[in-house]
Amino acid sequence: SAFQEITSKYKDERILLVTHGGVIRQIISCILSIPFNKAQKIHLDHAGLSRVDCYDGNMDLRFINLSLPG
């Protein structure tokens, strides 16, 4: 619910959330409509980037675990 509140409050803006993997998995489970216990099996790298696009009340998972070169 906090994620939905943030995305509603800052609609049409880019937002950077720095958070624990468990929170990211919870967001992923909501977007993909899968149980959280299934999302817990998704491996997230330390300091990996994940992107969610939110528009018109919809959320799309664009990528998970992107690593920047360097």
Side-chain angles (χ1 to χ4, degrees):
S1 64
F3 180 72
Q4 291 173 337
E5 181 179 329
I6 290 168
T7 57
S8 294
K9 183 175 180 179
Y10 298 100
K11 194 173 187 176
D12 300 325
E13 294 185 44
R14 291 182 183 217
I15 304 165
L16 172 66
L17 295 178
V18 179
T19 186
H20 187 273
V23 176
I24 296 168
R25 287 183 187 92
Q26 182 65 49
I27 293 168
I28 291 170
S29 74
C30 290
I31 292 170
L32 299 179
S33 299
I34 60 174
F36 181 67
N37 64 336
K38 299 270 187 194
Q40 286 179 311
K41 296 180 181 185
I42 297 171
H43 176 78
L44 297 173
D45 294 331
H46 294 286
L49 299 174
S50 300
R51 177 176 169 177
V52 175
D53 287 346
C54 303
Y55 57 92
D56 297 330
N58 298 308
M59 289 188 271
D60 288 334
L61 180 62
R62 303 295 288 174
F63 56 78
I64 60 172
N65 276 337
L66 179 71
S67 297
L68 296 177

